[in-house]
Amino acid sequence: MKFEAETEPSTGQVSGVRDLPGQWPWLPRLATLVLTLLTLDYVLNLGFFKLITAVESQFLYTVVALMLPLVFILWPIKADIASKRVPWYDLLLFLLAAAVCGYFVYNAERILDNGWEYAAPQTAMVMSFLLWGIVVEAVRRAGGWPLALICGLASIYPIVADKMPGPIQGFPSSPDQTAIYHAMSRESMLGIPLQAFANLVIGFLLFGVALQKTGGGKFFINLAFALLGHVRGGPAKVSIFSSGLMGSMSGSVITNVLTTGVLTIPAMRRVGIGRSYAAGVEACASTGGVLMPPVMGATAFVMASFLNIPYATIALAAVVPSLLFYLGLFVQIDAYAAKYQLKGLPQEELPSLRQTLKEGWYFIFVFVLLIWMLFYLRREAIAPFYATALLLVINQILPYQRWGWAECKDFFSSAGKLFAELITILAGVGLLVGALSVTGLSGTIANDLIYIAGGNPLVLLIMGAVTSFILGIGMTVTAAYIFLAVALAPALVQGGGMNPLAVHLFILYWGMLSFITPPVALGAFAAATVAGARPMETGLKAMRLGSVIYFIPFLFVLNPALILQGQWQDIVIVLCQALVGVVLIAGAMQGYLIGIGDLTVHRVLQWPIRVMLVIGGLAFAIPGGGAMPLDHGELFMLSLALTLPALIVAWLLVRNVQRARPHGA
């Protein structure tokens, strides 16, 4: 059996969509084509569609008008309705949504010039209520009931804000004022989430879909197998490499699991790795992939808008935390393979490295162009469009994955579904942000949180981690991040005196952790389905394998040098400490440490040894001072006091076992 990737991986993070019959598929295709052309005109300031792109709010309304109505065609009223036919009521909702959105596109300049967000005519008020209701229903279909309930209930909060208890009391608004604020202000539906999407995300999503449809997924998976498939525990290491690259493309944990997992999990099973462990490896690798630069998920672009910094700065800051997480995962997998003497796959069953590079070199070349434009030229808005154009041109010149008419249609269909889902969810989350803004709660909630935490930055961080995790269960990562960026981040920045970028990345990381943490662990459960493993057992395995990622956000939020903020000397020192700490923690969690061997040779003593190594590794990696009660020197001495005795005892135990073993055994 030859482990080569299929040419058609799953695309996007879209689920539960209707398989449109007849001529219906042309709707999302044409809408995507028009959106792409309008975005290019807007970003490059070409002036071909000046009627729409000259005024930003008109362009934003057009983005919503093109994509939001498609939700009623693509997603059935109930998730379990499998009918391909578009029923009359969905068609009616589609036409109503298109008409309402079209009204706002047509009147965008009038809204701006006449200040309708403060006092709108009767027709505009009715249309605002309709748009409000349509957005909530569209969010329910595309994002699920939990997100729709959170956004829907939050959006009516301004009406009853004065009746709420003390900490969450705010300035009230009438239903009419609330509706027009949601529909026409720059703080609600047209707020930062949607602005970030229109300015940055569209190009990167097109690039991701193009990369998958031209065989990028196949190339990266084959490259991973060619490089690492033959080493000990090779398929598990392939999972790390390929999922990191694929997750960066797709921006979705579930999609990542279902594309790379169908190849890596069976390969892991072949070399003797258990079902739940193999699924746990894939779930962790896929979760980390979404946090991997240069193309992170949509959340990173929203973060750039919130912080008003270039996206390249965020991508660069995410490099070290991502590498630390994958190092921890790699160390654990290598330790597992060494402990159980697991070999790699036979070389003859693996793809040829030479042939793989010959057929897919241009994917690396396109990534280099993207990185060059992002980090050197600082042109993040147009970089993905140039990269996509180059990718498609080279793809059509070379004979390996050349597109025909069917592939072109498929590209626009896949992108259209992805756009419809994300734009709808971002408009819905905008309602939540708008409700906090119009009531003034977004300005006071930070002070309330600081008061609850007693002004202690560590307590604030733990509150933030728990809240991010809980919201990550019921909402998409982007939605959870946006809510916390408004409500919690100011408290951490003002009350804790922490670096704003580190705080926002902290929230993002902890929002992602629900994918590998029971009882929900959607990423682990998806991997368990592929592996035929028990879901909860897989979730627990993934939680242990990904243990390092629970600590990493605390490391960089307490010392921003880990996200490359500060003097280079500090960055080097902190990075070296973090590397040692991660290796110690990962080795202790797995029960096998490089240079020592099997830590579990003594049934009783293994536990104090492993606990001491975990605590010692943490003490070594965590920076002292600031929010920490111990300074840097005290933490270093604590680390030495714990790790040195543990390492010496472990080495002696392993050496005694090796001596007692018969010669040649």
Side-chain angles (χ1 to χ4, degrees):
M1 178 182 177
K2 193 127 174 138
F3 280 91
E4 287 207 36
E6 296 298 323
T7 57
E8 186 57 39
S10 170
T11 59
Q13 58 206 86
V14 184
S15 58
V17 294
R18 182 184 277 133
D19 191 7
L20 295 175
Q23 299 303 310
W24 283 107
W26 282 102
L27 264 176
R29 290 171 195 159
L30 290 174
T32 304
L33 177 61
V34 172
L35 179 62
T36 303
L37 294 174
L38 287 174
T39 304
L40 281 169
D41 188 78
Y42 178 72
V43 169
L44 297 172
N45 198 23
L46 299 175
F48 293 128
F49 305 100
K50 194 177 289 185
L51 187 66
I52 289 173
T53 58
V55 178
E56 187 185 25
S57 59
Q58 192 162 38
F59 173 62
L60 294 175
Y61 279 127
T62 305
V63 169
V64 175
L66 283 168
M67 290 297 157
L68 187 135
L70 292 177
V71 171
F72 301 106
I73 299 297
L74 291 168
W75 278 267
I77 195 167
K78 287 185 179 179
D80 56 355
I81 295 178
S83 171
K84 294 182 180 180
R85 185 178 60 84
V86 179
W88 65 268
Y89 49 82
D90 280 347
L91 177 58
L92 189 64
L93 281 170
F94 167 78
L95 294 173
L96 178 64
V100 170
C101 293
Y103 173 84
F104 286 100
V105 173
Y106 180 75
N107 288 289
E109 282 195 69
R110 203 170 284 118
I111 291 168
L112 201 63
D113 294 340
N114 299 334
W116 282 9
E117 70 175 278
Y118 304 106
Q122 191 65 34
T123 306
M125 204 172 292
V126 172
M127 288 294 186
S128 297
F129 275 106
L130 284 172
L131 182 60
W132 186 0
I134 286 166
V135 167
V136 173
E137 168 58 13
V139 169
R140 185 192 69 79
R141 294 193 184 203
W145 271 107
L147 183 58
L149 283 172
I150 291 168
C151 293
L153 291 174
S155 68
I156 62 173
Y157 164 73
I159 300 171
V160 295
D162 58 331
K163 298 177 178 64
M164 291 288 139
I168 57 170
Q169 195 174 80
F171 299 109
S173 297
S174 69
D176 291 351
Q177 289 172 327
T178 303
I180 62 175
Y181 188 85
H182 282 321
M184 290 183 267
S185 80
R186 295 296 302 276
E187 304 294 331
S188 190
M189 273 186 266
L190 300 189
I192 285 178
L194 195 64
Q195 291 168 30
F197 186 92
N199 286 299
L200 287 172
V201 182
I202 291 174
F204 282 92
L205 289 180
L206 282 171
F207 175 70
V209 175
L211 204 57
Q212 292 192 35
K213 294 294 181 182
T214 52
K218 173 188 174 183
F219 167 71
F220 288 124
I221 294 171
N222 282 345
L223 181 63
F225 270 110
L227 289 171
L228 297 169
H230 64 285
V231 301
R232 69 182 182 191
K237 293 169 182 175
V238 165
S239 175
I240 296 177
F241 188 87
S242 59
S243 295
L245 292 169
M246 283 291 292
S248 186
M249 282 194 293
S250 71
S252 166
V253 175
I254 307 299
T255 299
N256 210 356
V257 167
L258 297 178
T259 49
T260 58
V262 293
L263 290 162
T264 58
I265 290 173
M268 283 187 260
R269 296 281 298 121
R270 273 200 66 201
V271 298
I273 295 175
R275 290 182 188 277
S276 58
Y277 193 92
V281 170
E282 181 57 45
C284 287
S286 294
T287 300
V290 180
L291 303 167
M292 175 67 77
V295 186
M296 300 162 72
T299 314
F301 300 98
V302 178
M303 190 188 298
S305 295
F306 263 113
L307 293 170
N308 196 26
I309 60 176
Y311 166 71
T313 304
I314 291 171
L316 193 63
V319 169
V320 172
S322 293
L323 292 179
L324 286 175
F325 169 61
Y326 277 114
L327 171 67
L329 196 54
F330 189 92
V331 168
Q332 287 209 64
I333 288 166
D334 188 64
Y336 182 89
K339 187 176 178 181
Y340 295 103
Q341 299 181 343
L342 301 178
K343 297 180 180 178
L345 293 167
Q347 191 76 53
E348 62 271 14
E349 293 187 3
L350 298 171
S352 161
L353 178 60
R354 183 175 181 179
Q355 186 65 25
T356 300
L357 289 173
K358 179 185 174 185
E359 294 182 6
W361 60 268
Y362 60 98
F363 294 112
I364 297 173
F365 183 72
V366 167
F367 259 103
V368 170
L369 172 69
L370 181 67
I371 292 167
W372 180 65
M373 292 194 71
L374 279 176
F375 294 100
Y376 184 73
L377 297 183
R378 299 280 179 172
R379 304 293 298 275
E380 48 265 309
I382 63 168
F385 290 106
Y386 278 100
T388 304
L390 179 65
L391 173 64
L392 295 180
V393 168
I394 298 176
N395 187 71
Q396 293 306 97
I397 293 172
L398 298 177
Y400 309 113
Q401 299 282 342
R402 195 174 288 160
W403 280 7
W405 182 235
E407 288 79 10
C408 189
K409 290 191 295 184
D410 187 34
F411 167 71
F412 282 107
S413 293
S414 298
K417 292 169 187 175
L418 199 56
F419 288 164
E421 180 188 43
L422 282 174
I423 287 171
T424 299
I425 288 172
L426 292 176
V429 175
L431 292 172
L432 188 154
V433 176
L436 294 176
S437 170
V438 73
T439 57
L441 192 64
S442 58
T444 61
I445 197 169
N447 294 329
D448 292 331
L449 288 170
I450 293 167
Y451 176 77
I452 292 168
N456 189 314
L458 273 180
V459 175
L460 267 176
L461 277 178
I462 293 167
M463 285 169 56
V466 173
T467 311
S468 303
F469 175 76
I470 292 170
L471 287 179
I473 292 171
M475 304 167 75
T476 64
V477 175
T478 304
Y481 163 75
I482 291 167
F483 175 72
L484 291 169
V486 174
L488 179 69
L492 291 169
V493 173
Q494 295 163 18
M498 296 173 188
N499 180 281
L501 177 54
V503 165
H504 283 252
L505 281 172
F506 178 88
I507 291 169
L508 171 60
Y509 264 68
W510 268 95
M512 291 294 302
L513 285 173
S514 62
F515 280 98
I516 59 168
T517 310
V520 181
L522 294 178
F525 291 174
T529 303
V530 175
R534 293 191 191 96
M536 195 55 69
E537 184 184 347
T538 300
L540 292 171
K541 285 277 198 308
M543 189 176 175
R544 191 174 81 171
L545 277 164
S547 55
V548 171
I549 204 174
Y550 294 87
F551 306 125
I552 287 172
F554 285 95
L555 300 185
F556 65 67
V557 82
L558 290 170
N559 194 335
L562 267 183
I563 55 169
L564 308 181
Q565 305 279 302
Q567 299 294 322
W568 70 266
Q569 299 96 325
D570 296 333
I571 292 170
V572 171
I573 292 169
V574 169
L575 178 57
C576 291
Q577 288 180 306
L579 289 172
V580 174
V582 164
V583 170
L584 289 172
I585 294 167
M589 293 296 293
Q590 197 56 58
Y592 187 100
L593 193 63
I594 297 169
I596 299 291
D598 191 351
L599 301 177
T600 65
V601 292
H602 196 286
R603 188 176 296 177
V604 177
L605 289 179
Q606 66 159 314
W607 298 113
I609 289 171
R610 292 168 72 176
V611 169
M612 288 168 72
L613 288 176
V614 168
I615 298 172
L618 271 174
F620 199 80
I622 291 176
M628 292 296 297
L630 301 177
D631 65 29
H632 195 72
E634 290 169 334
L635 280 173
F636 183 71
M637 294 307 296
L638 173 63
S639 176
L640 288 180
L642 289 167
T643 54
L644 283 179
L647 291 172
I648 291 168
V649 172
W651 182 78
L652 290 172
L653 288 172
V654 171
R655 192 177 175 194
N656 287 338
V657 169
Q658 289 173 343
R659 280 178 174 175
R661 199 173 286 161
H663 183 69

